[in-house]
Amino acid sequence: MGKMKQPLLIKKGAEASLYLADWHGRKVIMKKRLPKKYRLPKLDEQIKTYRTNHEPQLMHEAKRAGVPTPTIFLVDIKGATIIMEFIKGKQVKQLLDEISKSERLYLCLKIGELIGRLHECGIIHGDLTPSNMIQNSEGKIFFVDFGLGEKRKELEARGVDLHLMKRALQSTHFRFAEECFNAVIESYSKVLDAETVKNVLDKIKEIERRGRYVAKRKGEEE
Amino acid sequence: MKRKRTFKSYCLGIESTADDFSVGISTFGGEILANVVSAYIPPEGGIHPREAARHHAEVASKVLKEAFKKAGIKPQNLSIIAFSQGPGLGPCLRTGATVARALASYLGIPLVGINHCVAHIEIGKLKTGAKDPVTLYVSGGNTIVSAFDSGRYRVFGETLDIALGNCLDVFAREAGLRQRVGEPFGAVVEKLAEKGKRLISLPYTVKGMDLSFSGLLTSATNLLKKGEYKLEDLCYSLQETVFSMVTEVTERALAHTEKKEVLLTGGVAANKRLQSMIKTIAEEHDAEFCVVPSEFAIDNGAMITWTGILAYTHGVATPIQKSFVKLRWRLEEVEVTWVR
């Protein structure tokens, strides 16, 4: 894996641990998927290999779609480890609580555009939450953690992706979740063609109704 | 004369969201005096809401009498009536609500409508001593990962289609298995899974914090019909896959909220394999693992009773004209006035 000086654990996520490390004189993030003791070893291996394999591919394709993602330096499938560029900046999750309303809307408009570009290119992020977006000092927004991502163009996949973003906003930024999500949708709508957007928005509504115990369920109209 | 609310005050709670009709009686101090459950077991197929409601109407007076007898009090001793107002099956909810309204107006005491999901969390906290947990609530009707934040129980992850318990139940029925009183489908599948050895690959569907079980169920059912695999191995693989999925989401909620307790509740909480998985993640995040005792993890009247007391003593009451049932009442819609 090359020279590596004392990696520093910066985040112990549920799925992987992130280390800040020095790699050939470069500041990098080392993402290591640790074995999950609760899962059977065979299932654990399958999930880890699949995600370690797919994540860098999707990150690379996202770049091609015009969505900034950290540059991948090394992928070690056996060790379930990815070494990638360290993005210095702030999580959008933190930013949303700190900035003014107009800044917030501007930020959400930018995010909506990026999500639109991903979907346009058939990339589903799989875990669109404000904590998986980082803004650097130049104001560029990077999308990270494509571990649950997929290559798909179906309305269902796109709808679930946006639904997750909405849910993430509701659970941690409930005070301004609605205005944020509306801004995301506003700029998302400018990237994809009108018909697709309409269908995706209908799909989101359908997904919400399909959920347990929502005010209106699938096939019901008031 | 107005009765004073002291430790001698009692609440009666009625639970009837799905296949169980249950009555609980408790003191305002949280001492559960009675928790009587009558389960409706369909002769075949799933729960037919109207048939279940008919069962509830038939057993209501018997269950009420038994609860009063166990608690050793008279209806006149009651201070409030609580009932599960939703979410759940319409006919079942209406049957319970009708009994609750009749009792409250006959006795001239307040009625309190309770959210079934909130009640599962509150009784779990009472019974395990958890203060502020991440809760995994898994049953035949619900699969929800939640935690308290700013006045409400926020939903962090949930199923996008069917509930985990439902997935196990339908698979068991498709396999021709039978359930009995005291041994629901989940327990039958668990027993078979213990004998399974071979892990068969099934779709593992985690979407962000949310889950999907319907495709997995179809896939498992198709494999079952092919007849190439042993039922034990299929049960084993089904359990391992669905439990790994909910555990992954629960762990993420735990990492995200940094809470120090994990509460496991709902009918599926009785499963030993799921318990061991959740216990493992709790230990890894330095959190305490709390599992609700089976009697209070399944649908039960005591949880409605206890939550009714919490709500009523914090200013919540439901006038009869507003006591209509709410079939799709979401957990996060409830203002939890009694926490902090």
Side-chain angles (χ1 to χ4, degrees):
Chain A
M1 206 180 289
K3 261 192 271 171
M4 180 87 72
K5 273 185 248 162
Q6 328 114 340
L8 174 75
L9 180 67
I10 54 167
K11 170 126 181 77
K12 189 182 169 188
E15 211 225 337
S17 287
L18 295 184
Y19 299 88
L20 183 61
D22 184 89
W23 187 69
H24 297 292
R26 205 189 278 270
K27 245 190 181 179
V28 295
I29 288 290
M30 186 169 90
K31 178 170 182 172
K32 189 169 170 60
R33 290 190 158 81
L34 301 163
K36 290 284 159 201
K37 268 187 260 159
Y38 66 83
R39 286 196 290 242
L40 289 178
K42 191 180 159 192
L43 183 60
D44 192 56
E45 201 59 43
Q46 281 173 8
I47 293 168
K48 272 186 340 200
T49 307
Y50 182 84
R51 290 180 183 169
T52 309
N53 204 345
H54 281 249
E55 184 170 10
Q57 288 175 18
L58 288 174
M59 285 167 77
H60 183 69
E61 295 207 27
K63 274 201 194 75
R64 216 181 289 169
V67 177
T69 57
T71 304
I72 303 290
F73 296 131
L74 195 133
V75 180
D76 171 13
I77 301 276
K78 266 205 174 142
T81 302
I82 304 169
I83 292 179
M84 65 185 111
E85 181 188 358
F86 169 65
I87 307 294
K88 204 175 170 202
K90 232 175 196 182
Q91 275 182 328
V92 168
K93 182 190 166 193
Q94 279 174 284
L95 275 174
L96 285 174
D97 286 322
E98 292 167 3
I99 57 184
S100 68
K101 187 175 173 176
S102 59
E103 287 173 308
R104 205 154 56 218
L105 292 182
Y106 180 69
L107 184 64
C108 291
L109 285 172
K110 281 207 287 186
I111 290 168
E113 190 193 334
L114 294 174
I115 299 175
R117 284 191 208 159
L118 282 182
H119 285 190
E120 176 74 17
C121 291
I123 302 165
I124 300 301
H125 182 277
D127 194 12
L128 281 178
T129 72
S131 47
N132 282 335
M133 300 162 190
I134 300 167
Q135 190 178 48
N136 73 3
S137 50
E138 291 154 32
K140 208 165 155 186
I141 299 165
F142 286 78
F143 278 28
V144 299
D145 197 359
F146 284 71
L148 297 174
E150 292 172 289
K151 277 285 279 182
R152 291 178 79 163
K153 278 202 166 178
E154 287 97 334
L155 288 173
E156 171 76 24
R158 289 174 173 177
V160 170
D161 222 18
L162 283 167
H163 172 67
L164 290 177
M165 180 73 193
K166 187 177 182 181
R167 288 282 319 283
L169 286 167
Q170 283 168 346
S171 62
T172 41
H173 305 280
F174 37 87
R175 282 177 209 91
F176 38 80
E178 207 180 327
E179 55 177 62
C180 285
F181 190 68
N182 289 342
V184 166
I185 290 299
E186 192 188 323
S187 54
Y188 177 85
S189 307
K190 287 177 187 151
V191 183
L192 290 101
D193 66 274
E195 204 195 327
T196 310
V197 170
K198 190 193 165 289
N199 290 338
V200 172
L201 293 181
D202 285 347
K203 203 73 194 178
I204 298 175
K205 279 192 197 131
E206 191 203 310
I207 291 160
E208 282 168 357
R209 285 180 209 177
R210 214 189 291 155
R212 311 297 294 177
Y213 312 126
V214 284
K216 268 199 278 175
R217 285 280 279 275
K218 195 181 167 189
E220 290 178 355
E221 295 299 334
E222 263 167 35
Chain B
M1 202 182 83
K2 243 186 163 182
R3 268 182 301 270
K4 264 201 273 174
R5 265 193 286 117
T6 62
F7 65 97
K8 282 284 183 210
S9 298
Y10 301 99
C11 170
L12 179 142
I14 298 172
E15 155 60 33
S16 70
T17 49
D19 54 340
D20 293 319
F21 182 85
S22 175
V23 171
I25 295 174
S26 151
T27 65
F28 272 41
E31 191 191 343
I32 313 281
L33 304 174
N35 187 30
V36 183
V37 186
S38 171
Y40 167 68
I41 293 188
E44 60 179 37
I47 307 167
H48 190 302
R50 205 176 52 225
E51 296 302 320
R54 184 177 296 164
H55 159 267
H56 297 350
E58 277 167 11
V59 301
S61 64
K62 195 181 106 220
V63 174
L64 276 168
K65 269 186 204 151
E66 202 182 323
F68 280 118
K69 199 177 151 201
K70 276 205 173 150
I73 64 160
K74 291 194 172 75
Q76 288 72 23
N77 300 123
L78 294 170
S79 299
I80 54 168
I81 302 288
F83 73 106
S84 52
Q85 201 174 358
L89 306 172
C92 303
L93 283 169
R94 280 178 214 114
T95 308
T98 304
V99 177
R101 285 183 207 116
L103 274 172
S105 58
Y106 176 74
L107 297 168
I109 55 177
L111 187 65
V112 189
I114 293 300
N115 179 296
H116 177 87
C117 306
V118 170
H120 268 291
I121 299 173
E122 292 304 343
I123 194 80
K125 284 160 70 182
L126 176 75
K127 285 290 159 190
T128 64
K131 296 272 180 292
D132 183 22
V134 164
T135 304
L136 170 60
Y137 163 33
V138 264
S139 67
N142 293 280
T143 306
I144 298 177
V145 178
S146 70
F148 183 85
D149 190 1
S150 306
R152 289 171 196 231
Y153 289 113
R154 309 280 166 185
V155 175
F156 278 86
E158 63 186 322
T159 176
L160 291 166
D161 40 59
I162 58 171
L164 193 160
N166 190 215
C167 175
L168 297 177
D169 287 353
V170 174
F171 179 81
R173 274 206 303 272
E174 290 289 329
L177 300 171
R178 309 288 295 183
Q179 63 175 342
R180 292 196 307 264
V181 176
E183 196 185 39
F185 279 131
V188 179
V189 171
E190 183 178 5
K191 234 191 224 169
L192 281 166
E194 278 166 18
K195 291 184 221 144
K197 282 184 189 75
R198 182 173 167 203
L199 184 70
I200 301 154
S201 184
L202 292 168
Y204 183 98
T205 325
V206 174
K207 304 191 176 200
M209 293 293 276
D210 288 340
L211 304 148
S212 161
F213 300 103
S214 60
L216 173 61
L217 172 62
T218 307
S219 174
T221 316
N222 286 344
L223 291 177
L224 175 78
K225 285 181 184 152
K226 263 193 186 167
E228 289 170 16
Y229 299 102
K230 275 200 226 162
L231 182 57
E232 288 84 354
D233 289 337
L234 279 168
C235 288
Y236 171 70
S237 307
L238 183 64
Q239 274 203 171
E240 288 299 326
T241 310
V242 295
F243 293 164
S244 293
M245 285 162 57
V246 284
T247 307
E248 178 174 350
V249 171
T250 309
E251 188 181 13
R252 300 173 81 196
L254 196 57
H256 180 83
T257 59
E258 295 177 353
K259 298 214 184 252
K260 288 295 156 213
E261 292 155 333
V262 189
L263 182 70
L264 176 60
T265 191
V268 190
N271 189 295
K272 292 276 179 286
R273 179 66 181 129
L274 178 61
Q275 287 181 10
S276 85
M277 285 194 188
I278 301 295
K279 188 164 185 263
T280 307
I281 56 153
E283 279 165 4
E284 283 178 11
H285 290 262
D286 297 320
E288 195 186 332
F289 170 66
C290 310
V291 59
V292 183
S294 196
E295 186 196 348
F296 300 104
I298 58 166
D299 290 355
N300 65 89
M303 68 182 195
I304 303 298
T305 311
W306 173 236
T307 314
I309 291 164
L310 291 172
Y312 182 69
T313 52
H314 291 81
V316 183
T318 312
I320 289 192
Q321 58 272 26
K322 286 188 179 169
S323 65
F324 50 84
V325 296
K326 305 175 186 177
L327 274 59
R328 275 133 213 178
W329 193 8
R330 279 186 67 83
L331 170 63
E332 63 214 341
E333 286 172 36
V334 182
E335 271 186 66
V336 184
T337 47
W338 52 90
V339 179
R340 252 171 266 158

